[in-house]
Amino acid sequence: SLLNPYFVSGFSDAESSFSTTIYKNQKITTGYRVRCFFQISLNQRDSFILYQLQEFFGGIGTIRIDKTANAVKYSVDSLKDLTTIIIPHFKKYPLLTQKAADFLLFEQIVEFMNKDAHLTIDGIQQIVNINASMNLGSSNFVKSNFSKINPVERVKIQTTNIPDPHWISGFVSGEGNFDVGIRKATKTRKERIYLRFRLSQEERD
């Protein structure tokens, strides 16, 4: 059966990335090509969940296995699929961490590309400015090729409510940890076994 949509958003909050790449291509009038990606990379042992995600999204995207790194990656880069399937899903079932801010900026870039902004130098500059506020910021390539980068304002996500328990299950599947340990004995007590459930995040979340 298909995954619950809130599980998909929770798992994506934990494991996905929304990114834009800009690189040289002399076959294009501007000299640059712009591509947008929604992607999730996992250990190869968890490849089954990526196939379920692909099925959930109607079969779009590609799944590639990197045997050297023992990793598998699910990626969607079709502008049509991003516009009609990926973005509508996350607007209906929102991300709850600061990754939602990356998604909102990603959505702006996709909208620009649907208006052919990436086919002009001015449009690419606008995309560069938006991309500078996403994830880790501009790449070294972009910094060396675009001298005037003005990062746009990045929204701070303030989540006050988790709307569905399936989001928690999805998020824990990506970020949760269940462990068991034994603490050393002391003068007053013997070794102690402990059980622990943990979630770790950057301070911003």
Side-chain angles (χ1 to χ4, degrees):
S1 59
L2 292 179
L3 298 173
N4 181 280
Y6 279 107
F7 177 95
V8 171
S9 291
F11 190 75
S12 297
D13 246 323
E15 296 289 355
S16 76
S17 65
F18 299 88
S19 57
T20 301
T21 60
I22 301 170
Y23 54 94
K24 285 189 175 180
N25 188 324
Q26 299 304 326
K27 296 180 180 180
I28 299 175
T29 304
T30 61
Y32 297 97
R33 185 176 182 188
V34 181
R35 295 182 70 190
C36 290
F37 299 86
F38 165 72
Q39 54 191 13
I40 298 177
S41 183
L42 299 174
N43 186 285
Q44 198 168 334
R45 67 183 181 182
D46 288 321
S47 60
F48 72 93
I49 191 67
L50 295 187
Y51 286 101
Q52 289 187 39
L53 282 168
Q54 186 180 45
E55 181 183 358
F56 174 85
F57 286 123
I60 64 171
T62 58
I63 293 178
R64 293 187 175 89
I65 297 174
D66 183 347
K67 292 185 178 179
T68 304
N70 194 29
V72 59
K73 180 183 289 185
Y74 173 54
S75 179
V76 179
D77 64 354
S78 160
L79 197 60
K80 177 183 176 182
D81 292 338
L82 292 172
T83 303
T84 61
I85 298 176
I86 298 299
I87 288 176
H89 168 80
F90 289 108
K91 292 182 75 171
K92 187 174 182 179
Y93 305 97
L95 301 162
L96 303 184
T97 71
Q98 299 308 311
K99 190 172 292 181
D102 291 319
F103 167 74
L104 292 173
L105 296 173
F106 180 83
E107 182 185 7
Q108 288 182 37
I109 292 176
V110 171
E111 287 178 357
F112 272 122
M113 293 184 68
N114 279 320
K115 296 176 181 177
D116 293 334
H118 60 297
L119 302 181
T120 68
I121 289 296
D122 288 342
I124 292 177
Q125 182 65 60
Q126 288 180 297
I127 291 172
V128 165
N129 292 340
I130 297 172
N131 192 46
S133 297
M134 291 177 61
N135 302 313
L136 299 177
S138 301
S139 65
N140 291 331
F141 170 81
V142 171
K143 290 177 181 177
S144 64
N145 281 267
F146 295 86
S147 58
K148 297 181 180 180
I149 300 177
N150 297 307
V152 301
E153 183 179 356
R154 180 186 173 91
V155 175
K156 185 175 182 180
I157 304 301
Q158 299 284 0
T159 296
T160 58
N161 177 58
I162 295 176
D164 190 281
H166 286 94
W167 183 95
I168 297 175
S169 295
F171 192 66
V172 169
S173 288
E175 297 284 17
N177 176 263
F178 299 87
D179 65 281
V180 182
I182 302 177
R183 290 192 171 95
K184 292 182 179 180
T186 65
K187 292 181 180 180
T188 58
R189 61 189 304 176
K190 297 179 180 180
E191 290 89 351
R192 184 160 64 94
I193 295 175
Y194 67 87
L195 306 174
R196 183 166 55 189
F197 164 65
R198 289 191 292 179
L199 275 172
S200 298
Q201 287 292 288
E202 291 184 11
E203 187 177 357
R204 65 180 188 172
D205 282 316

